[in-house]
Amino acid sequence: MTERFNGPKLDELARKLADSVPGNIKSMGEDMERNFKSMLQSALARMDLVTREEFDVQLAVLARTREKLEALEARLAALEESAPD
C-alpha cells in the first residue's frame, strides 16, 4: 500500500517539513527528511485511501448506475401512466 505514496508530492511535502524545522536542528537535514517521509507514508497508509485511478473508475460506475436508474424510473412512470386503473 505504501507504494501509492512514493511520489514527488510526498518528497516535496517531506522536504517542506524538514525545511520548516528551526536552524539549530536542521543540521540533521537528509535524515530528518527521510524520517518525515517515512512518517507521512505510514500515516497515509493507515488512512486506507484510494488512488485517483480507483476513484475515477468508481465515479464512472456511479455515473452509469445513475443513468440506468433514471432510465428505469422513466420506464416505470410510463408503465404506471399506461396501466388501467
Side-chain angles (χ1 to χ4, degrees):
M1 175 168 298
T2 58
E3 62 273 357
R4 275 189 215 176
F5 308 113
N6 283 335
K9 294 210 184 259
L10 187 62
D11 290 338
E12 180 182 342
L13 183 56
R15 192 172 311 108
K16 284 182 181 182
L17 284 170
D19 289 345
S20 69
V21 173
N24 57 347
I25 300 176
K26 272 190 185 175
S27 61
M28 297 178 211
E30 269 186 40
D31 190 40
M32 185 171 287
E33 191 174 323
R34 273 193 305 273
N35 287 338
F36 278 134
K37 184 176 178 181
S38 177
M39 288 187 305
L40 287 168
Q41 286 174 325
S42 176
L44 290 170
R46 283 192 309 269
M47 288 182 186
D48 197 25
L49 301 172
V50 297
T51 64
R52 183 65 202 198
E53 182 180 333
E54 292 168 328
F55 178 82
D56 289 342
V57 166
Q58 290 304 311
L59 194 61
V61 168
L62 179 60
R64 283 193 309 270
T65 302
R66 185 172 288 137
E67 289 172 5
K68 288 180 182 181
L69 176 62
E70 289 170 356
L72 286 171
E73 287 174 337
R75 190 171 161 199
L76 178 61
L79 286 172
E80 287 175 341
E81 284 180 13
S82 66
D85 289 330

